[in-house]
Amino acid sequence: MCGAAGIDEDDRTGIAAVRVIGADLLLPSVLHGRHPHPGDVALLHRAVREFPPRPDASDAAMWSHWGMMSALHRSAPAAVAAGRPPLAVSPAEEPDAAWLEGAPWQSFTHQLSVLAPLAVPAASSAVHRAAAHRVVDLARGFVRAVRRRDWLQAAGTGRWLAALDGRPDSLGLDHGLDFVELMGGTDPRVALHVRAARLMAEGRPR
């Protein structure tokens, strides 16, 4: 059976691609407040099961895997509401996030942009808390990424800024995202993060 993503559940290449996409496979349902497609949930579950992080995986890879597990856990109530048995996924223990605490703002911004799939509404983690405490650093990193023409980092950082309170009014995030999309929007990853940022910003109280 193919899910909304159009990937067959027996397509191992497709499952590997889902592992790369990570928790963002379910992002449309999260941002639009809809039940995820059961086929997509099954695909994400297989990706989690078949491609666990290696023992020597980076901190970012560990957090990406945790984000997928968390997305599956959040999808369980939707499955019950739709009359489907939820997949057997327990909330995973959070990886260590101490490496973010003392990171310079430049590398902090880079790492958060890599973990942009964790920037979703109503989610909580040690990464979210670290980001919430360093919003000004993220704003500085967003401007730096734009000046360096690093559109993917700018889009990922902009997504975090849209998900957080306390960003400086002087940042002009809306116009900044317009520029990032104009210059880097041919990259689907940039387009994804910019669109996610806009939808989150629209749904947040002014």
Side-chain angles (χ1 to χ4, degrees):
M1 180 183 68
C2 289
I7 300 173
D8 190 277
E9 290 184 30
D10 295 323
D11 180 356
R12 187 162 175 80
T13 301
I15 300 298
V18 169
R19 177 61 189 89
V20 175
I21 296 168
D24 273 344
L25 183 70
L26 305 185
L27 183 64
S29 63
V30 172
L31 294 180
H32 292 286
R34 299 170 184 167
H35 294 328
H37 192 286
D40 287 346
V41 174
L43 283 171
L44 192 61
H45 187 267
R46 282 200 62 182
V48 164
R49 188 175 68 249
E50 295 186 19
F51 293 98
R54 301 190 306 269
D56 61 344
S58 67
D59 292 311
M62 295 294 291
W63 271 103
S64 175
H65 187 78
W66 178 88
M68 295 167 68
M69 295 283 287
S70 180
L72 286 170
H73 183 65
R74 290 196 303 270
S75 74
V80 172
R84 303 190 305 269
L87 293 170
V89 177
S90 300
E93 183 178 349
E94 289 189 3
D96 178 60
W99 53 284
L100 287 174
E101 293 177 4
W105 64 268
Q106 297 92 334
S107 59
F108 182 78
T109 298
H110 168 71
Q111 293 296 337
L112 265 290
S113 69
V114 171
L115 295 174
L118 298 183
V120 293
S124 177
S125 69
V127 173
H128 285 79
R129 292 187 287 276
H133 291 145
R134 300 184 64 175
V135 175
V136 173
D137 281 346
L138 287 176
R140 294 170 69 190
F142 177 78
V143 172
R144 179 175 182 267
V146 170
R147 288 178 174 172
R148 291 165 61 91
R149 305 177 70 84
D150 188 340
W151 309 123
L152 181 57
Q153 185 172 132
T157 307
R159 177 170 166 177
W160 275 106
L161 288 166
L164 298 169
D165 293 319
R167 64 178 181 269
D169 292 337
S170 58
L171 178 63
L173 182 62
D174 291 342
H175 294 303
L177 289 171
D178 288 343
F179 185 68
V180 171
E181 184 177 41
L182 175 66
M183 300 301 293
T186 55
D187 184 333
R189 298 169 299 173
V190 171
L192 171 68
H193 292 323
V194 169
R195 182 59 179 160
R198 286 193 177 127
L199 288 172
M200 284 192 287
E202 289 171 4
R204 291 176 66 80
R206 300 284 181 177

